[in-house]
Amino acid sequence: MDGEALRRRSARHARPAGLSLHYGTAGFRARAQLLDHVVFRMGLLAALRSRAVPAAVGVMVTASHNPEEDNGIKLVDPLGEMLHPSWEEYATQLANAEDQDLEKVITEICQKAAVNMHKDALVFIGRDTRPSSEKLSQSVIDGILVLGGQYHDYGLVTTPQLHYMVCCQNTQGQYGKATLEGYYEKLSKAFMGLIKQSHSSGESQRHLKIDCANGIGALKLSEMKPYFPQEVLIHIYNDGTKEKLNHLCGADFVKVHQKPPVGLDMKPNERCCSFDGDADRIVYYYKDATGHFHLIDGDKIATLISIFLKELLAKVKQNFTMAVVQTAYANGSSTRYLEETLKVPVHCVKTGVKHLHHKAQEFDIGVYFEANGHGTVLFSKAAETKIRQLVKEEKDDEKREAAKVLENMIDLINQTVGDAISDMLVIEAILALKGLTVQQWDAIYTDLPNRLLKVQVADRRVIDTRDAERCAVTPPGLQEKIDALVKKYKLSRAFVRPSGTEDVVRIYAEADTQENADALAHEVSLAVYHLAGGTGAPPQP
């Protein structure tokens, strides 16, 4: 390591005094003007991580569904998964180090993680459409080069596309070609393979309106349009040419506000969906004949995919293990439907994609979605090998056809991470194959009314939880209070958890009616305010 070059280069990316940031599930996020030193240092870290593994790694410059003024950065591990937790700590240390201590901190990381600086380093870089992203990705490149690493800049890509590229590179092309064309070709070929087996009814079935949150999803969907079959007519809204990224639109806005995005004109019973700013989340929705808005979130997406996969598994007659992984935010009706009607095991884990992904890896087929629309399906190596073998060798027509559908599903799903484009194609294929309308899909089960609230507190760390965040261990007396409140309402439950990013406590409540869910959420928020050090005025109903 050339200490002099590091000092010179790092002086151009000085750390603002007193700024401290933490690498969480979403990497680093902050106002864009505060991030130059952080992204430079993540270029350094990526060069170290690549040598440690040793393999190509990724760096994505994005703040996903945050406002346009924000930005962020996250690292991607060799198989397209999120950065290993032990390296999240190194990321935080490096980002917060004093300028003069950088060399020392890098040396410490090299010792702890056994980094061989003589190995080659290769980093793939991608960025979203924010005005600040291009300059920040240049700073990442600065960091990679100062430690003698090589890079490939993919420029404007969705977050899941970058994850995909990294995985392709490190599986020597087994997962696919590490190019955008390779991504479009793989997905469209699998999608066409599925669609041609469907006997879809009527022209109206194939129209889909997509709100792209004025983000990268619009650019990439437009590029992919020539690869789609004529039967699929996608209409892109909020394409970023007129309005600001994520402003009154996108998957997060639609989910939180339970209403359609601005900029998309909905007619009754039209199928619509929204991506988030970096296209790794998707939710569907429609308006019924009376003008009432219906949201179809991640829970219902997981349920649709599970129904479809379960039918196929029954036909191939293999004893594959299958499970759905959820968080405590999953609607109680979805959990009940999956366990009691579909007879699919459901596992609840802590909030955060890495926890869901990790649990889903324990099964031959693991379906995971957060209610916010981020999710995917994982297939074990053994299951994938067996399915591909059945396609080639199975004599029984029904078994072979079912295996062929499963094989196309494996190729259509981006197993590295939640991917709005891939998930959208999976959903569209399933609806066509099953001949379902969006209303029939919505009617599989009825969501229990629920309410999300947050309470400002002096220090979020006073709340500690267990049982996948469904039970509060501290402060004393809080869980007992919640239990007593829950007993007052039918079909009810409630839980509280500290935010991962700010000093607020998040509250979730559901009950038999919206009025009761709202009342329960409010009463729980008062309990949090009084027992966990709320700040400002007490919560109002």
Side-chain angles (χ1 to χ4, degrees):
M1 177 168 49
D2 181 344
E4 187 47 45
L6 178 66
R7 277 188 292 280
R8 265 202 324 272
R9 194 53 65 118
S10 129
R12 295 184 201 167
H13 305 281
R15 173 174 168 258
L19 179 70
S20 176
L21 293 168
H22 177 78
Y23 193 103
T25 300
F28 291 110
R29 283 194 198 164
R31 284 280 184 251
Q33 64 270 25
L34 299 175
L35 284 172
D36 182 62
H37 72 294
V38 174
V39 296
F40 166 71
R41 292 168 182 205
M42 288 310 100
L44 302 173
L45 191 75
L48 299 180
R49 180 66 179 152
S50 176
R51 290 181 170 112
V53 266
V57 298
V59 170
M60 185 71 198
V61 176
T62 181
S64 189
H65 54 273
N66 281 34
E68 192 174 271
E69 301 73 38
D70 290 356
N71 217 322
I73 187 164
K74 48 190 172 187
L75 273 69
V76 178
D77 257 359
L79 291 179
E81 68 276 65
M82 295 168 102
L83 182 64
H84 191 277
S86 62
W87 279 72
E88 289 183 5
E89 306 245 332
Y90 301 151
T92 301
Q93 280 168 14
L94 197 56
N96 296 323
E98 296 296 339
D99 291 338
Q100 65 273 19
D101 297 337
L102 261 191
E103 192 176 351
K104 186 171 108 226
V105 174
I106 290 170
T107 306
E108 280 170 13
I109 293 170
C110 288
Q111 283 165 350
K112 281 188 203 152
V115 178
N116 179 351
M117 289 301 278
H118 300 297
K119 282 202 153 70
D120 290 337
L122 176 61
V123 183
F124 285 4
I125 305 167
R127 66 175 194 270
D128 71 10
T129 54
R130 291 163 198 273
S132 58
S133 290
E134 188 169 6
K135 188 171 176 298
L136 289 174
S137 68
Q138 280 305 316
S139 300
V140 175
I141 291 169
D142 262 7
I144 296 164
L145 292 177
V146 82
L147 288 188
Q150 294 180 309
Y151 69 92
H152 182 95
D153 185 4
Y154 281 94
L156 292 163
V157 286
T158 70
T159 295
Q161 284 175 335
L162 186 77
H163 284 255
Y164 173 92
M165 303 302 173
V166 173
C167 183
C168 291
Q169 174 71 20
N170 292 316
T171 55
Q172 286 68 53
Q174 267 180 297
Y175 193 68
K177 282 209 290 277
T179 62
L180 278 171
E181 292 71 40
Y183 172 92
Y184 298 142
E185 279 164 11
K186 181 181 174 182
L187 267 62
S188 58
K189 182 171 172 243
F191 181 66
M192 305 270 256
L194 288 166
I195 287 291
K196 71 168 193 278
Q197 290 165 294
S198 82
H199 316 288
S200 183
S201 58
E203 190 55 32
S204 65
Q205 284 273 232
R206 297 173 182 144
H207 285 270
L208 176 66
K209 290 185 167 179
I210 307 165
D211 153 36
C212 289
N214 291 309
I216 185 71
L219 280 179
K220 299 297 132 180
L221 263 186
S222 303
E223 283 175 17
M224 197 172 179
K225 256 186 170 177
Y227 294 85
F228 289 143
Q230 289 88 343
E231 303 97 312
V232 178
L233 299 162
I234 61 168
H235 308 278
I236 298 173
Y237 295 83
N238 294 326
D239 64 0
T241 53
K242 298 187 203 56
E243 296 295 333
K244 277 173 74 166
L245 176 71
N246 294 325
H247 182 59
L248 305 178
C249 62
D252 198 59
F253 172 84
V254 173
K255 168 76 180 153
V256 170
H257 296 280
Q258 308 266 327
K259 64 180 183 186
V262 171
L264 186 148
D265 169 39
M266 280 173 82
K267 296 187 177 63
N269 297 326
E270 281 185 331
R271 204 163 65 252
C272 305
C273 67
S274 284
F275 293 1
D276 72 336
D278 64 340
D280 65 357
R281 291 185 187 185
I282 184 170
V283 295
Y284 270 69
Y285 44 92
Y286 68 97
K287 260 185 189 160
D288 62 26
T290 65
H292 183 67
F293 176 79
H294 295 255
L295 174 73
I296 300 179
D297 65 6
D299 299 336
K300 260 197 183 137
I301 294 172
T303 303
L304 177 73
I305 294 172
S306 301
I307 290 169
F308 186 67
L309 292 175
K310 186 139 198 258
E311 288 168 0
L312 291 170
L313 293 181
K315 288 178 185 167
V316 295
K317 299 183 172 62
Q318 299 292 316
N319 52 354
F320 293 138
T321 58
M322 176 176 160
V324 175
V325 186
Q326 297 182 326
T327 70
Y329 286 112
N331 196 278
S333 291
S334 73
T335 314
R336 212 164 285 135
Y337 177 85
L338 288 162
E339 288 183 329
E340 293 169 18
T341 307
L342 205 55
K343 304 275 189 277
V344 169
V346 177
H347 297 267
C348 186
V349 298
K350 279 169 70 172
T351 306
V353 178
K354 59 185 175 190
H355 302 298
L356 291 127
H357 193 91
H358 190 69
K359 187 70 185 174
Q361 288 173 321
E362 294 176 17
F363 310 97
D364 286 319
I365 298 169
V367 180
Y368 75 81
F369 270 84
E370 290 188 291
N372 65 26
H374 187 287
T376 188
V377 185
L378 304 184
F379 293 85
S380 70
K381 260 285 152 261
E384 185 178 330
T385 306
K386 185 68 192 165
I387 288 162
R388 294 197 195 275
Q389 185 192 347
L390 287 171
V391 172
K392 287 199 184 82
E393 298 168 13
E394 180 55 56
K395 301 285 185 283
D396 179 271
D397 285 356
E398 190 190 31
K399 267 194 194 176
R400 192 179 60 253
E401 280 308 301
K404 183 81 196 121
V405 175
L406 278 169
E407 182 177 51
N408 279 320
M409 287 292 280
I410 290 170
D411 290 335
L412 184 53
I413 289 163
N414 185 345
Q415 293 183 58
T416 64
V417 71
D419 181 338
I421 294 177
S422 156
D423 289 339
M424 174 192 86
L425 294 173
V426 167
I427 291 161
E428 290 303 307
I430 294 174
L431 293 177
L433 282 162
K434 290 183 69 63
L436 286 174
T437 64
V438 68
Q439 299 85 339
Q440 288 167 320
W441 172 20
D442 188 31
I444 290 169
Y445 63 80
T446 305
D447 274 327
L448 281 169
N450 56 83
R451 178 63 63 209
L452 281 161
L453 294 176
K454 56 185 181 184
V455 175
Q456 296 280 341
V457 291
D459 181 1
R460 65 181 184 269
R461 289 170 300 193
V462 300
I463 298 230
D464 192 19
T465 62
R466 63 171 182 83
D467 187 23
E469 301 175 315
R470 291 175 290 190
C471 180
V473 184
T474 59
L478 179 59
Q479 189 57 47
E480 290 74 11
K481 183 71 180 158
I482 294 170
D483 293 342
L485 292 168
V486 164
K487 285 201 180 87
K488 291 166 58 178
Y489 303 98
K490 282 191 192 142
L491 297 176
S492 67
R493 68 183 182 101
F495 68 90
V496 302
R497 57 178 286 272
S499 158
T501 50
E502 50 189 329
D503 278 321
V504 302
V505 175
R506 301 193 189 282
I507 290 147
Y508 177 87
E510 62 186 32
D512 57 341
T513 65
Q514 191 62 57
E515 201 180 355
N516 285 346
D518 290 349
L520 175 58
H522 175 63
E523 289 176 321
V524 171
S525 72
L526 282 173
V528 168
Y529 179 84
H530 292 300
L531 293 169
T535 58
Q540 297 303 308

